[in-house]
Amino acid sequence: MAFEVFDDVAFYWFLMSVMVCCVIPMSYSFISTVQWRTPANWTRSLHSCKEKIDRGDRVRRKELASKLFGWRGIGFVSSWTIFLVLLMRLTTMQSEEMFSFNPYKILEIEEGAEPTQIKKAYRSMSLKYHPDKCSSPECENAFIKVSKAYEVLTNEETRKNYEMYGNPDGYHGTSVTIGLPSWLTNKENELAILVAYFVVLIVVIPVVVGLWWRNSSKFLEDGVMQNTAYRFYRQVQENTAAKFMPGILASAVEFCEGVPCKNNQADDLSRLHKRVQENFVKNQGDMNNDIMKVKTLIYAHLLREPIPASLLDDTNYCLEHSHRLLNGLLNIVIEQRFVTATMNVIEFSQLLTQALWFHSNPLLQLPHFDMQQVKHATRVLSNIKDKDKAAGSPIERLKQLGGEKRREALKGLGPEQHADIDVYLANFPDIEISFDAKVEDEEDVQEGDVLNLTVKVERKHLQADPDWVDSDDEDEEPDESIFDKQLEAYEPGSEEYESKKEDLMDEWRDAYFERQKKKREREKKRNPQTGELGFAAKPLHDPVPVHAPFFPYERFEQWMVLLVDVKSNKLVGYQKLSQNSRFEKVQLKFLAPKEGVVHYEIHAMCSAYLGADKKVLMKKTITKKKEEEVKTAAELAEDEDEEEEEEEEEPEGKWYYLGGNSIGELILNIIALGIAGVMLFNFLYARGLWQKYVQPPVDWILKILAPFLNFVSMYTSPAALWFTANVYDFRHVAFLFENMTAANVSDANATLSTRVVKNDTSFLNEDPFKANLFNMGVRDEL
């Protein structure tokens, strides 16, 4: 007989399970976003960045406090509090719904206690909670429970029923409890529950989804608003100069909505505009007041003009979002294969980071440098003899000058300032580019072939990378001369000589394939690139900070590799460096053009420093495509067979994973097998096949294994008793394993399942409410 109840305890378990599913990911998201320690930054030791570092630390502490005491922090604390309260409630609650009666626990004795122990415990507990000695409601309830427990344990039939089924009345059929609170079935709450369902399903969910879609549909994948991208697209062209970039950036809708013109800023904005007006370059959107305001603020930043206090927050807002918008502008020009515009966008990003005007001297990026120091340094660099001059940017030449000569040339600076310059030059980007372009399995390059270009960029200013292994080609077969020393003891040409030589060759091949496997694993780890732009799932190292004392926010090095066709001035390929490591490779694939000698330029450009970019030339000779030989059907079939053999075979499942390849597949296989087993058991059981054919051999096997099981139970019974008392009592499902083939239907203790199998339906006429076994005059007996 199956019945359904609303179980409050099951609802607590269900609610705690839901809390676990919500609390764990929310906690991970919250903890992972909180910056508990100050990140490593080589610029913290520079006096030129002291003010910016102090301001950044204050902002970081403020952000940490806002996260801890904001809505996410409060949600984190409150969710864990609710979870712990539920956990404590479940561990301490005495279930009143089902299967909560445990006479041994009530009498505080061990299961299987002797009758004398039961009587002794009953006398002690009854005297303790007798109404004549304790008149509180708790004592009265405890006294009733003690009396019921004593009656159950002193009656042979009820004690046997409890030990077999966990219920003094015997087996009552399979019970199904619904993990929802019982107040849901209360008629007084029907209207409130229906209204709540209606509000949640009809009002709240559609409104939330609609608001989310309305906001998310405004933005592209790179976080730029669609209207902003449209404005950028309309203004940018193939040869757009860098001087037009501030006006294009100022036309972003984000700025017009975030920092509109205000009346209380009119005077300060007018005075600031007059100071930078002579440098203005006309753009399409200059008639809009909001755009003109943002453009004025950007010009003032580039010219290092002092910003009035009323406009400082708006300037910081513009600078905070400027590089994200420039990244969107860069994606637009790259997708259109604009070479000049792409380089000018990156150059403007450099100028914005360093707060420098167009065509400024890169030496102004150095700490404590002004125009006077630039003149001294330029004079010293120009006086160097031609044979001693080093190629490169002024900063690189100043670095190669040496510390002593720099101090002689820059006498106006103190020791601390020179120390800052030395640290800056040691961390200024110094890169080297190497490349290898070839066609797979081909020696020459023909028209239409796919060229595989591998560009290796070494950032010498970063620390050494111990995991780096250069991917120079290694012969698959060893040079036999390396085995001469091991083969000295054998006569050349003899059977032992050839056998030893073959063993050494096999060892070398095994080591070679192991090296190749490890190298592929390292390459896969180093370059987990996805997408055309090559963004990595997770960089190997932390981003490299940038010295930018005039930029109010922390900036990091970002590099992009560009492949340019010199003749057509078109962007052939591009990819961003993503691993922040000393060595990094990028793979570019492109089609070979028509026959002739083609010149390419490989650019590595930094978004934060002037004078750090590098360029190398690549020349490729393209030959005319040869006419393809017509192959017969047999040859084509043979080629297909060879290709199929070369393909990697699907990895076979492991036996210890039950045919899977991972622990996750093992768990899924176990669940599938369990479901299949339950369905098979129900099928066999419903038709009596289980009782007739399966149960007898199971009983026979259990009888043989009884000594071993008894021995094991001696050590596992304490844990099983604790689990039964505190978590779940398996005696509730013990009827599944009883020998139902030998049961007699006429027996009063025959299970419901046995009676159904034997077509005994007399139980349908029985009263489901048995006589109360506990009203047996306990008080009169006392």
Side-chain angles (χ1 to χ4, degrees):
M1 178 178 178
F3 58 93
E4 254 181 26
V5 297
F6 283 80
D7 192 347
D8 288 337
V9 177
F11 173 69
Y12 276 108
W13 281 106
F14 170 76
L15 186 60
M16 192 173 70
S17 302
V18 174
M19 288 291 298
V20 170
C21 296
C22 297
V23 167
I24 292 179
M26 186 184 71
S27 302
Y28 175 78
S29 174
F30 174 73
I31 295 174
S32 61
T33 55
V34 175
Q35 199 172 42
W36 301 101
R37 60 181 180 84
T38 303
N41 190 342
W42 64 271
T43 62
R44 298 184 71 87
S45 61
L46 302 181
H47 294 79
S48 59
C49 295
K50 187 177 185 306
E51 182 179 353
K52 176 182 175 179
I53 294 296
D54 293 341
R55 183 172 62 250
D57 290 342
R58 290 195 298 269
V59 172
R60 192 175 293 109
R61 289 192 295 268
K62 186 177 179 181
E63 290 179 352
L64 179 60
S66 64
K67 287 183 178 180
L68 293 177
F69 300 101
W71 66 270
R72 293 190 65 185
I74 295 175
F76 172 78
V77 175
S78 59
S79 60
W80 274 104
T81 302
I82 295 173
F83 175 77
L84 294 176
V85 169
L86 288 175
L87 187 61
M88 294 174 61
R89 173 67 174 164
L90 284 172
T91 56
T92 58
M93 118 184 292
Q94 296 294 327
S95 172
E96 297 291 341
E97 283 76 11
M98 299 181 62
F99 306 120
S100 59
F101 181 72
N102 189 334
Y104 294 102
K105 190 174 182 180
I106 294 174
L107 294 176
E108 298 180 358
I109 57 178
E110 297 182 357
E111 293 196 13
E114 298 294 332
T116 55
Q117 296 176 341
I118 296 173
K119 292 181 179 180
K120 182 178 180 181
Y122 169 68
R123 291 173 182 173
S124 175
M125 301 292 289
S126 60
L127 291 174
K128 179 179 179 182
Y129 296 110
H130 197 278
D132 295 340
K133 296 186 177 181
C134 181
S135 59
S136 64
E138 291 80 7
C139 292
E140 183 178 355
N141 293 333
F143 182 75
I144 294 174
K145 289 182 180 180
V146 169
S147 301
K148 290 180 179 180
Y150 177 73
E151 294 297 336
V152 168
L153 296 181
T154 54
N155 186 295
E156 292 295 332
E157 182 179 356
T158 56
R159 181 173 181 176
K160 181 179 179 181
N161 287 337
Y162 177 80
E163 292 178 350
M164 291 182 62
Y165 309 110
N167 193 322
D169 296 337
Y171 176 64
H172 277 194
T174 304
S175 63
V176 179
T177 62
I178 301 176
L180 293 175
S182 56
W183 53 264
L184 287 176
T185 59
N186 193 337
K187 293 185 178 181
E188 298 178 356
N189 301 330
E190 288 182 354
L191 180 60
I193 293 172
L194 290 176
V195 171
Y197 281 154
F198 176 82
V199 172
V200 172
L201 297 177
I202 308 299
V203 180
V204 175
I205 294 179
V207 169
V208 171
V209 173
L211 292 176
W212 170 81
W213 175 253
R214 179 183 177 185
N215 293 329
S216 62
S217 61
K218 296 180 180 179
F219 296 89
L220 299 176
E221 293 181 356
D222 52 10
V224 178
M225 295 182 67
Q226 292 188 7
N227 293 337
T228 298
Y230 177 74
R231 292 185 179 185
F232 288 170
Y233 178 80
R234 290 291 302 272
Q235 296 180 74
V236 73
Q237 297 177 1
E238 165 65 36
N239 298 315
T240 301
K243 63 181 180 180
F244 295 105
M245 296 301 169
I248 296 175
L249 178 62
S251 65
V253 178
E254 286 87 342
F255 291 153
C256 298
E257 295 179 355
V259 287
C261 290
K262 300 177 183 178
N263 294 331
N264 59 348
Q265 299 174 341
D267 295 338
D268 292 336
L269 184 60
S270 177
R271 286 190 291 268
L272 182 63
H273 178 72
K274 290 179 181 179
R275 295 204 303 266
V276 301
Q277 187 175 11
E278 60 181 10
N279 297 293
F280 256 54
V281 177
K282 187 176 180 180
N283 289 87
Q284 296 180 11
D286 286 353
M287 299 303 294
N288 187 297
N289 291 332
D290 295 334
I291 294 177
M292 287 296 294
K293 173 187 176 181
V294 177
K295 188 175 178 180
T296 299
L297 297 178
I298 293 176
Y299 270 62
H301 172 72
L302 295 175
L303 294 168
R304 297 186 179 181
E305 290 284 345
I307 306 295
S310 61
L311 297 171
L312 190 59
D313 292 339
D314 290 349
T315 303
N316 292 338
Y317 179 87
C318 294
L319 296 177
E320 181 182 6
H321 299 278
S322 59
H323 285 91
R324 176 175 57 84
L325 297 173
L326 282 177
N327 184 65
L329 177 59
L330 181 63
N331 291 335
I332 292 174
V333 296
I334 281 180
E335 290 297 334
Q336 300 183 76
R337 305 291 175 173
F338 292 162
V339 176
T340 304
T342 298
M343 294 184 177
N344 288 336
V345 171
I346 298 176
E347 180 187 351
F348 178 62
S349 176
Q350 299 169 356
L351 297 172
L352 195 65
T353 301
Q354 299 297 334
L356 292 176
W357 188 246
F358 302 98
H359 311 296
S360 296
N361 194 312
L363 293 174
L364 288 172
Q365 300 175 106
L366 272 72
H368 314 297
F369 259 61
D370 52 19
M371 289 306 302
Q372 183 179 0
Q373 303 300 334
V374 170
K375 290 179 181 179
H376 292 321
T378 304
R379 188 182 305 113
V380 172
L381 295 177
S382 61
N383 291 335
I384 299 177
K385 296 180 181 180
D386 293 339
K387 63 178 181 179
D388 296 331
K389 283 186 178 180
S393 66
I395 296 180
E396 293 176 342
R397 288 186 286 151
L398 186 66
K399 180 180 180 180
Q400 297 173 3
L401 190 63
E404 295 182 1
K405 292 184 178 180
R406 283 199 303 269
R407 283 166 171 75
E408 293 178 1
L410 307 173
K411 296 182 179 179
L413 300 177
E416 292 182 352
Q417 295 171 327
H418 279 292
D420 289 350
I421 294 174
D422 293 341
V423 174
Y424 175 87
L425 293 176
N427 289 275
F428 185 78
D430 181 14
I431 69 172
E432 182 179 342
I433 304 174
S434 59
F435 62 90
D436 180 27
K438 60 184 179 181
V439 179
E440 189 175 357
D441 299 332
E442 297 288 343
E443 294 182 358
D444 58 345
V445 183
Q446 300 179 9
E447 297 176 351
D449 286 346
V450 178
L451 268 168
N452 297 316
L453 174 62
T454 302
V455 181
K456 184 178 76 173
V457 180
E458 180 184 1
R459 298 159 73 176
K460 299 180 180 179
H461 60 290
L462 300 184
Q463 295 180 355
D465 193 347
D467 294 332
W468 171 258
V469 177
D470 205 350
S471 60
D472 294 334
D473 292 336
E474 186 178 0
D475 295 333
E476 295 184 6
E477 291 295 329
D479 185 1
E480 296 183 1
S481 61
I482 64 176
F483 304 131
D484 291 343
K485 185 175 293 186
Q486 291 92 327
L487 297 174
E488 289 179 353
Y490 302 93
E491 182 180 354
S494 63
E495 184 177 351
E496 295 180 352
Y497 178 89
E498 295 297 332
S499 176
K500 182 64 176 178
K501 179 180 177 181
E502 189 63 29
D503 292 341
L504 294 173
M505 293 280 285
D506 291 340
E507 292 178 3
W508 187 94
R509 292 190 190 99
D510 293 341
Y512 167 78
F513 288 120
E514 188 66 24
R515 290 195 301 272
Q516 294 296 318
K517 180 181 178 181
K518 291 181 178 179
K519 184 161 66 174
R520 286 193 299 270
E521 292 176 354
R522 284 194 296 266
E523 288 296 324
K524 185 177 180 180
K525 180 181 178 182
R526 293 183 62 84
N527 298 290
Q529 297 172 347
T530 57
E532 189 175 5
L533 292 180
F535 287 104
K538 184 178 180 181
L540 289 177
H541 303 284
D542 294 332
V544 183
V546 169
H547 175 267
F550 294 94
F551 197 83
Y553 299 98
E554 195 168 13
R555 290 279 293 143
F556 302 100
E557 289 185 21
Q558 294 178 345
W559 290 84
M560 174 168 280
V561 176
L562 307 174
L563 178 63
V564 179
D565 188 341
V566 177
K567 183 178 180 180
S568 62
N569 195 33
K570 287 295 182 181
L571 190 62
V572 179
Y574 55 90
Q575 195 158 300
K576 294 181 180 180
L577 302 184
S578 56
Q579 298 305 303
N580 304 320
S581 58
R582 183 183 179 96
F583 296 95
E584 193 164 347
K585 286 182 181 179
V586 294
Q587 303 286 340
L588 300 176
K589 293 185 178 182
F590 59 97
L591 293 177
K594 294 182 179 180
E595 179 184 6
V597 179
V598 186
H599 296 272
Y600 295 98
E601 291 178 349
I602 302 175
H603 296 262
M605 303 190 69
C606 180
S607 65
Y609 287 109
L610 286 170
D613 305 335
K614 288 294 175 66
K615 176 183 70 174
V616 295
L617 299 177
M618 181 181 72
K619 183 173 69 172
K620 271 295 175 184
T621 302
I622 311 298
T623 61
K624 190 174 182 180
K625 190 173 185 62
K626 299 178 181 178
E627 295 182 1
E628 296 183 358
E629 298 179 358
V630 179
K631 296 184 178 181
T632 63
E635 291 175 340
L636 292 174
E638 185 178 354
D639 293 342
E640 291 180 359
D641 294 338
E642 291 178 356
E643 291 179 359
E644 291 178 359
E645 291 177 359
E646 292 176 356
E647 291 180 356
E648 294 183 0
E649 297 182 357
E650 187 72 18
E652 297 182 358
K654 308 295 190 302
W655 65 268
Y656 46 83
Y657 285 150
L658 297 182
N661 294 302
S662 63
I663 295 181
E665 294 184 10
L666 171 63
I667 296 174
L668 293 177
N669 290 338
I670 292 175
I671 294 174
L673 291 175
I675 295 174
V678 171
M679 295 176 64
L680 179 62
F681 171 78
N682 290 334
F683 175 79
L684 297 175
Y685 187 84
R687 285 160 176 77
L689 300 177
W690 178 275
Q691 300 90 320
K692 187 175 181 180
Y693 298 106
V694 181
Q695 191 68 45
V698 170
D699 293 338
W700 181 75
I701 294 173
L702 292 176
K703 184 177 181 180
I704 295 176
L705 296 178
F708 174 75
L709 295 177
N710 293 333
F711 175 77
V712 173
S713 64
M714 292 174 57
Y715 299 95
T716 59
S717 57
L721 290 175
W722 178 89
F723 191 87
T724 301
N726 296 278
V727 182
Y728 188 76
D729 194 344
F730 284 106
R731 289 176 301 182
H732 308 328
V733 295
F735 71 94
L736 294 176
F737 308 101
E738 65 185 357
N739 185 357
M740 291 174 284
T741 59
N744 186 3
V745 178
S746 61
D747 188 1
N749 292 325
T751 64
L752 183 64
S753 303
T754 303
R755 298 166 74 178
V756 171
V757 171
K758 300 296 184 178
N759 295 323
D760 179 16
T761 59
S762 60
F763 67 91
L764 296 175
N765 299 321
E766 294 178 359
D767 186 1
F769 300 98
K770 292 188 177 182
N772 190 350
L773 301 176
F774 308 118
N775 294 333
M776 303 184 72
V778 176
R779 298 187 54 157
D780 295 339
E781 183 180 295
L782 292 175

